[in-house]
Amino acid sequence: MSNLTIFDLDNTLIGGDSDHLWGEFLIAKGLVDPADHKVQNDAFYQQYQQGNLDIFAYQRFVLKPLVAFTQDELAQLHQKYMAEFIEPIILPKAINLIAEHRDQGDTLMIITATNEFITRPIGQRLGIELLIGTQPEISNGRFTGEVAGIPSFQEGKILRLKQWLKTQAPDLTLSHFYSDSHNDLPLLKRVPYPVAVDPDEKLRSHAEMHDWPILSLRG
């Protein structure tokens, strides 16, 4: 029997939010209107932190700029984004934690609300091939700016995970879920071993109340 250990990505395995940072990257490269994009990007991030984010509205905002580029152009942009914005915030303690679970024989997965275009290469950089993220819609080889299927956000993480588990061997069992965000409480409550990682205030309070482990991967 193999344990399935799940990690959130943003502010858990990396020291920042890859969705918000992608917006900062687009601004830095002059690919979007800097003032307008920053205002909206920051406002959505604040809504996420408060727990009242409209995930469809946010993902459409994030995905809209992708429509103008081919997949090859986006791949080149993503390489620059990884080098300039993601590499500096990869956490050594997170790499060690991943290695510990891999050495135990666990099956490793990232579940993130951030779209798979942004996050799949980050997961691969961290050595985790299995990833469930919000799926961008693609038509004729290009992004349409819309979301395909159920976003992997809040309760959506449970629904997407259930869909994935139906395709797997029956001896795969849920084990740990590591997350920083109260938005992940629905899934944290479903696993045998929930772990709060550098948690926000709401998640820390819940973790302390229920005697969940609280871990820091920073520093």
Side-chain angles (χ1 to χ4, degrees):
M1 183 172 292
S2 177
N3 288 327
L4 176 63
T5 290
I6 304 171
F7 303 91
D8 179 43
L9 177 65
D10 299 317
N11 287 307
T12 301
L13 293 180
I14 59 175
D17 185 283
S18 60
D19 231 350
H20 187 260
L21 286 172
W22 174 255
E24 294 290 322
F25 170 76
L26 293 178
I27 292 168
K29 297 302 178 185
L31 298 173
V32 291
D33 178 83
D36 180 64
H37 201 82
K38 181 172 178 54
V39 168
Q40 293 190 66
N41 199 36
D42 290 351
F44 278 122
Y45 188 47
Q46 185 177 33
Q47 290 167 18
Y48 171 80
Q49 292 175 315
Q50 293 170 345
N52 58 9
L53 176 66
D54 180 336
I55 188 63
F56 283 98
Y58 179 47
Q59 285 302 316
R60 288 175 182 131
F61 166 75
V62 173
L63 295 172
K64 184 178 179 180
L66 306 186
V67 175
F69 300 98
T70 66
Q71 294 293 332
D72 287 344
E73 290 168 337
L74 287 171
Q76 293 174 13
L77 283 173
H78 202 291
Q79 288 179 356
K80 295 177 182 178
Y81 164 70
M82 286 287 293
E84 297 173 21
F85 283 75
I86 298 302
E87 286 293 339
I89 60 170
I90 289 177
L91 302 171
K93 288 183 179 179
I95 299 295
N96 293 339
L97 178 64
I98 292 166
E100 288 175 14
H101 280 284
R102 181 177 290 110
D103 290 345
Q104 292 169 14
D106 292 358
T107 297
L108 308 181
M109 171 186 280
I110 290 171
I111 296 185
T112 173
T114 303
N115 72 73
E116 293 188 2
F117 162 73
I118 292 174
T119 56
R120 191 166 294 282
I122 303 174
Q124 292 169 345
R125 167 64 178 85
L126 296 173
I128 300 177
E129 291 295 327
L130 289 176
L131 181 140
I132 294 175
T134 297
Q135 296 173 308
E137 184 182 68
I138 297 176
S139 178
N140 298 319
R142 296 180 78 115
F143 291 116
T144 68
E146 290 293 326
V147 173
I150 301 168
S152 41
F153 178 61
Q154 295 178 342
E155 294 283 352
K157 287 194 174 183
I158 297 173
L159 296 174
R160 292 285 304 282
L161 179 60
K162 285 181 176 179
Q163 290 175 348
W164 182 84
L165 285 170
K166 288 179 181 178
T167 70
Q168 305 308 305
D171 61 350
L172 194 61
T173 60
L174 287 177
S175 178
H176 294 75
F177 178 37
Y178 293 88
S179 178
D180 72 293
S181 175
H182 70 278
N183 286 294
D184 284 335
L185 278 169
L187 183 53
L188 284 163
K189 293 175 181 178
R190 295 291 190 96
V191 300
Y193 302 105
V195 183
V197 180
D198 298 293
D200 60 35
E201 186 176 340
K202 290 181 182 178
L203 178 54
R204 180 177 293 276
S205 176
H206 188 93
E208 289 174 346
M209 188 180 303
H210 292 83
D211 294 322
W212 291 356
I214 297 176
L215 177 67
S216 179
L217 299 178
R218 308 288 178 119

